């Protein structure tokens, strides 16, 4: 009798596991729509160019910056003590980043040589910022 009860309990637990697994949501709605993306993680500003010339101290030109890209399509930009919550999605040659409701103003990063490159026109001239992914 004891063995029968143990067997019944095992069958019930296994059945519940199957049912609960079936009740799980798909990757996209569970927040993992970009789970396989190489961009997921924290990227730090590591270099910069101004009008095509390498800048020795990127932090002096642009300030300290990092961006965290999460698998659910959200991103957190941190720069000079300012935090901005953004959204992101992969593109054909990199990714785009925008503030919710402002997708028309998205900025595009190009993935090149293991770096995310953001090119901007600033008051000081044409600037390229190079972000490198932190190791996990």
């Amino acid at each position: 009798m004891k063995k029968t009860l143990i067997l019944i309990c095992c069958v019930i637990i296994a059945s519940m596991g199957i049912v609960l697994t079936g009740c799980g949501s798909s990757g996209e709605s569970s927040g993992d729509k970009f789970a396989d993306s190489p961009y997921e993680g924290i990227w730090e500003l590591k270099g910069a160019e101004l009008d095509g010339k390498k800048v020795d101290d990127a932090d002096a030109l642009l300030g300290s910056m990092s961006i965290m890209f999460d698998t659910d399509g959200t991103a957190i930009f941190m720069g000079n003590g300012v935090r901005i919550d953004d959204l992101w999605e992969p593109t054909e040659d990199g990714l785009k980043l925008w503030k919710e409701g402002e997708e028309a103003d998205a900025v595009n990063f190009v993935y090149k040589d293991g770096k995310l490159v953001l090119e901007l026109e600033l008051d000081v001239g044409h600037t390229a910022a190079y972000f490198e992914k932190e190791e996990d």
Side-chain angles (χ1 to χ4, degrees):
M1 180 72 173
K2 189 175 182 178
K3 288 182 181 181
T4 305
L5 286 174
I6 292 173
L7 182 61
I8 291 171
C9 287
C10 288
V11 169
I12 291 171
I13 291 170
S15 298
M16 287 179 60
I18 292 169
V19 168
L20 292 175
T21 302
C23 290
S25 51
S26 68
E28 187 167 329
S29 60
S30 69
D32 289 334
K33 61 184 175 181
F34 301 129
D36 295 331
S37 174
Y39 307 122
E40 183 272 327
I42 298 173
W43 294 72
E44 298 275 342
L45 177 68
K46 296 293 185 181
E49 289 181 5
L50 178 60
D51 290 328
K53 296 178 185 166
K54 183 179 177 188
V55 175
D56 291 330
D57 188 2
D59 287 351
L61 177 65
L62 301 171
S64 175
M65 291 186 213
S66 67
I67 306 170
M68 183 188 75
F69 298 103
D70 201 351
T71 58
D72 65 358
T74 60
I76 298 172
F77 170 85
M78 297 290 293
N80 299 318
V82 175
R83 174 189 166 137
I84 302 172
D85 294 324
D86 289 316
L87 300 172
W88 74 278
E89 68 182 19
T91 61
E92 191 173 300
D93 58 353
L95 63 90
K96 69 178 181 176
L97 179 71
W98 71 95
K99 193 112 176 90
E100 189 168 1
E102 300 176 14
E103 191 168 356
D105 296 328
V107 292
N108 292 301
F109 289 79
V110 174
Y111 186 73
K112 183 178 180 184
D113 299 326
K115 297 177 176 78
L116 284 174
V117 182
L118 174 63
E119 295 193 26
L120 300 168
E121 287 298 328
L122 301 176
D123 292 340
V124 294
H126 181 80
T127 305
Y130 295 91
F131 292 81
E132 293 180 20
K133 188 174 184 181
E134 285 188 357
E135 295 298 320
D136 295 327

